[in-house]
Amino acid sequence: MPVECAITSVCVLGTAVASLTLVVMPAWLPVVLGLDAAVLVTALIDLLVGLPRRAQFTVTVGLPATWSQGRAETVIVTIGQQARWSRQLRLVLDLPNVLEAMDPPAVLRLAGRGRALLERRIMPRERGRGEAHGVHLAVDSRLGLWRRHLRVGDVIPVAVYPDLKQLADYALMARTNRLALIGVRTVRRLGGDTEFERLKDWQPGDPLTRIDWKATARRDHLTVRAYQISQSQTLMLMLDAGRLMAARTPGAAGGTVSLLDQAIKACLLAAHVAINHGDQVGLLVYDSQVRRFLKPEGGAQQVHRIVHALHDIHPRLEESRHDLACLHLARRLRKRCLVVHLTQVMDDLGAATLHRHAVNLASRHLPLTVLLRDHDLYDCLAGNGGDYWTNGAAALIHQWRRTAIDRLTAAGALTLDLPAEQLASGVVNEYLRVKARHLL
């Protein structure tokens, strides 16, 4: 048993036993009062001399400034003290809401004038910005009669960005002609191939005339040239961040994520693919007002701008103003483009508003309205849950939804109705189909 724990036990038990003896021997009152006074003096001395101060501790937290959502990191915490005696510590990282500690609070004994290293696993659960404020320490006094809570360490700004692993997966699958594994279909393009796109491994069926013999000799593997149609287009991503996008849906790694998170993943993948095809990409994010706008541009830096613009966007519990977004788009964008509108609709008013603005967009641009399916609704339609009345209500909502989608199609808009987990691949497939069929 540690010394301070033994002293604490003796003080508590000694005064308790001495107080009980007064029941049978009241004459011992002066002795008990003397013992109480001695314990009080000891506690005061421990408070004044043995209680730790913030200046006695040094803490360094190896916390990176940027994170990727859903990708855990190991952080090294270095803690040291200047006191000559060892102390019992309880340590908790002071993290912003966007980060979550995966380990329980650390309990350790720090040697006198010693240092200790701790490994802590941290998971960035949400996108956004915040500040980490070092660590919280619960430190016992020299005799263990007191405990002080301290916050030690520097303020570290933290930014959690969307997970960009899907972009690396797309690049890898594209190089090895395995895009079907991530849900992206190859669309046969109309017309001839006129512009060099990339080098790729030879696959059965590739023309022998396209073999690049210099690259083949350098890599010691048959390599062919891939071409694409020389056709620069403009893709405008229009993202609804209103209250309906706050609904939760199952995530890829367990748990749930918001519909807006899934829509952001789809926007990033579509932007990456479009820029790789030589197109320009812009962004407009709105709820009750326009929150972000990036004019269409090409180049790899545009993807970085879009990632930075989206990383701290969260759904607000406000009605989305589709009219303001479309008006802002009409004023800023004159050139005809493909407008990918990712949104959600749940009532007649919202459906009528979408229909009206789809008509306005179709007069100048090619609108693609992407609606996100509700898992609970389609589970009821499949008979996986709910009673007779619930399933009947789900069927009525589904029928109403199909009618709203048909009206959008009749207004000249392309439409997609997808579950959240298929959103990214579905948007990319439709973009590739539009580009291959020269619909713009």
Side-chain angles (χ1 to χ4, degrees):
M1 179 181 292
V3 175
E4 56 266 32
C5 293
I7 294 175
T8 302
S9 301
V10 168
C11 291
V12 173
L13 292 177
T15 54
V17 171
S19 298
L20 290 175
T21 60
L22 295 178
V23 178
V24 293
M25 292 180 291
W28 283 32
L29 179 60
V31 177
V32 173
L33 292 177
L35 181 60
D36 290 343
V39 171
L40 180 59
V41 171
T42 302
L44 289 175
I45 294 175
D46 193 32
L47 173 64
L48 298 175
V49 179
L51 200 63
R53 298 184 301 276
R54 181 181 290 106
Q56 294 177 338
F57 297 93
T58 58
V59 173
T60 303
V61 182
L63 203 66
T66 59
W67 299 71
S68 291
Q69 184 182 13
R71 303 188 68 180
E73 299 283 351
T74 299
V75 172
I76 303 298
V77 180
T78 304
I79 180 170
Q81 70 158 342
Q82 300 175 359
R84 296 188 299 272
W85 50 80
S86 63
R87 293 188 185 277
Q88 185 82 10
L89 305 178
R90 183 179 176 90
L91 181 148
V92 179
L93 288 171
D94 189 344
L95 300 175
N97 293 334
V98 294
L99 301 180
E100 179 182 345
M102 302 176 65
D103 300 317
V107 179
L108 70 154
R109 174 165 291 279
L110 189 60
R113 294 179 178 175
R115 298 176 62 196
L117 297 179
L118 296 175
E119 290 187 355
R120 302 279 90 186
R121 292 282 290 174
I122 299 176
M123 175 66 75
R125 297 292 186 187
E126 301 288 341
R127 295 171 293 99
R129 291 184 176 273
E131 290 183 343
H133 295 266
V135 300
H136 287 283
L137 297 178
V139 191
D140 294 336
S141 61
R142 179 70 179 91
L143 300 179
L145 300 177
W146 304 90
R147 174 172 293 176
R148 170 171 282 177
H149 293 269
L150 305 170
R151 189 172 69 184
V152 186
D154 298 328
V155 176
I156 302 174
V158 171
V160 179
Y161 289 85
D163 186 10
L164 303 181
K165 184 177 182 296
Q166 60 171 347
L167 305 187
D169 290 343
Y170 178 87
L172 175 62
M173 298 303 177
R175 285 196 299 267
T176 56
N177 290 331
R178 294 185 296 167
L179 288 175
L181 295 179
I182 57 175
V184 177
R185 300 189 301 270
T186 302
V187 181
R188 182 178 178 84
R189 292 168 176 164
L190 301 178
D193 299 328
T194 60
E195 184 178 339
F196 174 76
E197 181 184 9
R198 59 189 171 87
L199 294 173
K200 68 183 186 71
D201 294 339
W202 179 85
Q203 299 291 331
D206 288 338
L208 296 180
T209 56
R210 292 189 177 179
I211 295 178
D212 188 313
W213 294 108
K214 290 184 179 180
T216 298
R218 185 170 59 252
R219 300 177 64 230
D220 194 23
H221 189 78
L222 273 179
T223 305
V224 298
R225 294 182 178 182
Y227 293 88
Q228 64 180 356
I229 298 174
S230 179
Q231 181 189 12
S232 178
Q233 298 175 348
T234 301
L235 171 65
M236 192 69 192
L237 300 168
M238 191 172 171
L239 181 59
D240 180 1
R243 66 178 183 86
L244 293 180
M245 300 296 283
R248 311 295 291 185
T249 185
T256 60
V257 296
S258 69
L259 293 181
L260 182 61
D261 280 307
Q262 298 285 18
I264 286 176
K265 291 178 60 178
C267 286
L268 293 178
L269 184 58
H272 175 75
V273 173
I275 286 178
N276 282 347
H277 282 76
D279 291 343
Q280 294 185 333
V281 183
L283 174 71
L284 188 150
V285 184
Y286 71 98
D287 41 50
S288 61
Q289 58 185 351
V290 175
R291 296 174 60 185
R292 297 284 192 279
F293 180 80
L294 294 177
K295 65 179 182 179
E297 292 185 9
Q301 287 299 320
Q302 184 69 352
V303 177
H304 298 159
R305 297 186 194 102
I306 293 174
V307 170
H308 185 75
L310 290 175
H311 84 279
D312 59 347
I313 291 291
H314 296 284
R316 293 180 178 174
L317 300 182
E318 302 172 349
E319 287 295 335
S320 299
R321 291 289 303 275
H322 306 299
D323 53 343
L324 290 181
C326 291
L327 181 61
H328 189 88
L329 188 65
R331 290 174 175 174
R332 298 294 187 92
L333 195 61
R334 301 293 183 180
K335 181 182 177 182
R336 179 173 171 82
C337 65
L338 173 63
V339 179
V340 179
H341 187 191
L342 296 99
T343 185
Q344 181 64 298
V345 61
M346 293 296 292
D347 54 34
D348 289 329
L349 180 60
T353 304
L354 279 182
H355 176 266
R356 183 171 66 255
H357 295 293
V359 172
N360 294 335
L361 282 175
S363 63
R364 178 177 296 175
H365 306 290
L366 177 60
L368 169 58
T369 303
V370 184
L371 301 179
L372 285 74
R373 289 182 182 176
D374 189 316
H375 269 280
D376 294 335
L377 173 65
Y378 280 82
D379 286 344
C380 291
L381 290 175
N384 296 332
D387 53 23
Y388 174 81
W389 301 106
T390 302
N391 295 339
L396 289 176
I397 295 174
H398 174 67
Q399 183 179 1
W400 170 85
R401 189 179 178 91
R402 290 308 313 168
T403 302
I405 291 174
D406 291 341
R407 291 191 65 205
L408 288 171
T409 304
L414 304 175
T415 56
L416 289 176
D417 184 22
L418 297 171
E421 62 272 15
Q422 298 176 15
L423 187 61
S425 59
V427 171
V428 170
N429 285 332
E430 190 66 12
Y431 157 76
L432 294 176
R433 188 185 73 86
V434 169
K435 188 173 180 67
R437 304 303 180 195
H438 306 283
L439 297 182
L440 280 179

